Amino acid sequence: MKKRSLQINIISSIAMQGVSIICAFILPRLILVSFGSTYNGIINSVNQFLSCVTLLRAGVGGVTRAALYKPLAQNDTKSVSAIIKATEIFMRKIACIFTIFLFAFACIYPVFVKDQFGWLFTFSLVLVLGISTVSQYFFGITYQMLLQADQKLYVYNCVQIAGTIANTVASVFLINAGFEIRIVKLASAVVFGITPIVLFYYVKHNYCLDRKIKPDNSTIKQRWDAFAHQVAAFVNTNTDIMVLTIFSNLYQVSIYSVYNLVISGVKQLITTCSGAIEAMLGDTIAKESMNQLNAKVNAYEWILNVVSCIALICSAMLIVPFVMIYTQGVSDTNYEQPAFAYLLCFATFMSCIRLPYQNLVEASGHFKETRNGAIGEAVINIVVSVIFVRKWGCIGVAIGTIVAMTVRTIQYAEYASKFILFRSSKIYLKRFIVSFISIAVTMTMFYVFNLGDVLVKATTYTEWVLYAIVVFLAVSIVVVLINAIFYNNETRNGIKILFKRISN
């Protein structure tokens, strides 16, 4: 049954990210064409600043999931109820703090963009976007953690799919009807406000939670240690646009957001599936089965490294031609930025190959032990990004992200190997080396055969898709063959499993 739940979670996660990626491409394109790069820039800038509020709840999600694995495995309803109650109370307090933060930020932010937008417009836009943020982040987050820990992430995914589609349909209609951007975003807030209500009623009818139980605050006592991990995640996700807003301009923000739209879609497709796998690892750790844990992690590592290599290489080859098609008709700034695209792809690759070790740390609840590495990652990213952003803009912040990601990835892998899996560091080092060899060989072939010149000729989505299919197949074959040389058994078993799934 658990195996079946894992499969459903992964399939639903892929479906959710597929829908999210498609919808995420539709709206920014409409905004760029209908309103211009500055509007696209300010929306992304405000959203990134507002996402600072996630730091207020930082640590609670990971700690809650880690605390829930054991009582769920033991069917301990009383403990589950006490953990959920403590988390709900904490999240309500955070929602109140966010409201104060939102009004303060709405008054201050207009100063940064006063040359391009009026104070009243920016003030009201921030408030509208803030309503959407609070509805997504704070209401229903507790039930999302419960469903994920109980390996029922598919429920949350289905609700999100419906909400994303409804938001896109409503936004497209309003933009084409000529409504201004604040009305469009207000409609989004209403749609996403319904999502947590649906989750609440699902949990109410499917879990026998004691609503009057005394909250078990001890279960989230590690939230301040987990806070450091969330700060690092926040910095790597949001600092780039914030630094560009403060030290550069909204055109650079728009360029970054368009490229990040593509690469974050690829990343989310991988990380969302890993969220389903984290629950499986947590269940195995709770049952104290070390042999099973190492076997599952070995398979997880191999699959993720192969998938990440293929995703990185394909993204590096295809992202610039796609962006040029995507931004056709938008001439207020230059969106052709290949150097930045390559760096962004590599930074994303580093964040993906560390997922097995990050999932292990979070599922084991080892937040305090790895806290310093998280703080170091955040500091490195901010310092390096600020140093290079003035001279190189988007490229500068991408360099900061790469340096921070690389240091943190090694720290995660080293800790997980020594203190959770109790195995040699040579295992993860070999996987990293094989991945870098795969990237180097494939990219060299890409340049030797001048495939870049062919891709540039794509001027429509149809042509791009045809080229993308060829690139994907070629890259997949090369990466799998290289892995077969170093990991013969894993490759053979992986291919068998793939064909078995297809045949079934």
Side-chain angles (χ1 to χ4, degrees), residues 441-475:
V441 171
T442 312
M443 293 302 289
T444 300
M445 292 174 61
F446 172 71
Y447 283 107
V448 168
F449 292 104
N450 293 320
L451 291 178
D453 295 336
V454 176
L455 292 172
V456 169
K457 295 177 182 177
T459 57
T460 65
Y461 288 115
T462 302
E463 291 178 351
W464 183 87
V465 169
L466 293 175
Y467 286 132
I469 292 172
V470 174
V471 169
F472 172 76
L473 292 175
V475 169

Side-chain angles (χ1 to χ4, degrees), residues 18-176:
V19 170
S20 297
I21 291 169
I22 293 171
C23 293
F25 282 124
I26 293 172
L27 291 183
R29 167 67 185 176
L30 272 177
I31 291 172
L32 280 169
V33 173
S34 302
F35 301 103
S37 293
T38 53
Y39 279 85
N40 185 52
I42 194 173
I43 290 170
N44 282 279
S45 176
V46 170
N47 281 330
Q48 295 291 42
F49 274 99
L50 287 177
S51 64
C52 285
V53 78
T54 59
L55 295 179
L56 295 173
R57 66 172 177 86
V60 175
V63 170
T64 298
R65 290 196 307 273
L68 284 170
Y69 289 135
K70 189 171 183 177
L72 284 171
Q74 297 174 344
N75 293 318
D76 185 353
T77 304
K78 183 177 179 181
S79 295
V80 171
S81 299
I83 295 169
I84 293 300
K85 185 71 172 181
T87 306
E88 279 184 324
I89 293 173
F90 182 82
M91 293 310 299
R92 288 195 199 107
K93 293 178 181 177
I94 295 303
C96 293
I97 295 172
F98 172 73
T99 303
I100 299 171
F101 166 85
L102 178 60
F103 277 98
F105 178 68
C107 294
I108 297 170
Y109 182 80
V111 175
F112 293 102
V113 294
K114 61 183 179 181
D115 294 335
Q116 292 157 304
F117 293 98
W119 190 92
L120 184 60
F121 171 85
T122 307
F123 173 81
S124 55
L125 179 63
V126 170
L127 291 181
V128 169
L129 292 173
I131 295 171
S132 180
T133 300
V134 74
S135 64
Q136 292 181 70
Y137 284 145
F138 299 116
F139 300 118
I141 188 70
T142 305
Y143 307 119
Q144 178 190 343
M145 295 302 103
L146 172 60
L147 293 170
Q148 185 174 346
D150 199 26
Q151 301 191 48
K152 292 182 179 179
L153 189 61
Y154 59 87
V155 176
Y156 170 77
N157 289 337
C158 291
V159 174
Q160 283 296 103
I161 288 172
T164 302
I165 293 175
N167 171 59
T168 303
V169 171
S171 298
V172 170
F173 172 78
L174 292 172
I175 291 174
N176 288 332

Side-chain angles (χ1 to χ4, degrees), residues 105-393:
F105 178 68
C107 294
I108 297 170
Y109 182 80
V111 175
F112 293 102
V113 294
K114 61 183 179 181
D115 294 335
Q116 292 157 304
F117 293 98
W119 190 92
L120 184 60
F121 171 85
T122 307
F123 173 81
S124 55
L125 179 63
V126 170
L127 291 181
V128 169
L129 292 173
I131 295 171
S132 180
T133 300
V134 74
S135 64
Q136 292 181 70
Y137 284 145
F138 299 116
F139 300 118
I141 188 70
T142 305
Y143 307 119
Q144 178 190 343
M145 295 302 103
L146 172 60
L147 293 170
Q148 185 174 346
D150 199 26
Q151 301 191 48
K152 292 182 179 179
L153 189 61
Y154 59 87
V155 176
Y156 170 77
N157 289 337
C158 291
V159 174
Q160 283 296 103
I161 288 172
T164 302
I165 293 175
N167 171 59
T168 303
V169 171
S171 298
V172 170
F173 172 78
L174 292 172
I175 291 174
N176 288 332
F179 286 88
E180 68 154 292
I181 195 66
R182 288 172 292 183
I183 301 299
V184 175
K185 292 302 176 183
L186 185 59
S188 297
V190 173
V191 171
F192 285 119
I194 298 173
T195 301
I197 297 174
V198 176
L199 289 178
F200 171 80
Y201 279 103
Y202 177 86
V203 170
K204 182 179 179 180
H205 287 89
N206 290 275
Y207 290 84
C208 299
L209 298 179
D210 185 354
R211 300 287 174 180
K212 298 180 180 179
I213 196 170
K214 183 179 179 180
D216 184 4
N217 293 309
S218 65
T219 57
I220 56 174
K221 63 184 178 181
Q222 280 203 79
R223 65 177 179 269
W224 298 116
D225 296 314
F227 177 84
H229 293 259
Q230 292 298 315
V231 167
F234 170 82
V235 167
N236 286 298
T237 303
N238 303 292
T239 291
D240 292 352
I241 284 184
M242 293 169 131
V243 170
L244 286 170
T245 300
I246 296 171
F247 297 101
S248 189
N249 55 61
L250 290 178
Y251 290 108
Q252 287 289 304
V253 173
S254 184
I255 291 170
Y256 184 97
S257 64
V258 169
Y259 277 92
N260 192 53
L261 180 67
V262 181
I263 202 64
S264 64
V266 176
K267 178 182 176 181
Q268 285 299 317
L269 201 58
I270 298 173
T271 56
T272 303
C273 294
S274 78
I277 294 173
E278 181 196 325
M280 177 265 293
L281 295 177
D283 182 66
T284 305
I285 292 170
K287 294 176 180 176
E288 300 180 349
S289 179
M290 188 54 61
N291 290 333
Q292 265 195 344
L293 180 63
N294 268 283
K296 288 178 179 179
V297 170
N298 284 334
Y300 182 18
E301 282 179 300
W302 182 83
I303 292 171
L304 199 67
N305 273 267
V306 170
V307 170
S308 297
C309 277
I310 294 172
L312 162 72
I313 299 165
C314 290
S315 297
M317 292 180 180
L318 297 165
I319 190 170
V320 175
F322 178 87
V323 168
M324 297 314 296
I325 297 172
Y326 185 75
T327 57
Q328 280 180 355
V330 181
S331 57
D332 52 5
T333 191
N334 181 20
Y335 283 90
E336 188 173 3
Q337 305 285 340
F340 166 63
Y342 295 149
L343 291 173
L344 191 62
C345 289
F346 186 75
T348 303
F349 169 74
M350 292 305 298
S351 71
C352 288
I353 62 172
R354 78 183 189 185
L355 285 172
Y357 321 112
Q358 181 178 340
N359 290 156
L360 275 172
V361 167
E362 293 177 357
S364 302
H366 290 202
F367 299 104
K368 183 177 181 179
E369 296 85 348
T370 54
R371 177 185 57 199
N372 292 339
I375 295 172
E377 179 183 24
V379 172
I380 291 171
N381 198 341
I382 293 172
V383 171
V384 177
S385 295
V386 170
I387 290 173
F388 291 114
V389 68
R390 287 189 180 275
K391 185 175 182 180
W392 292 325

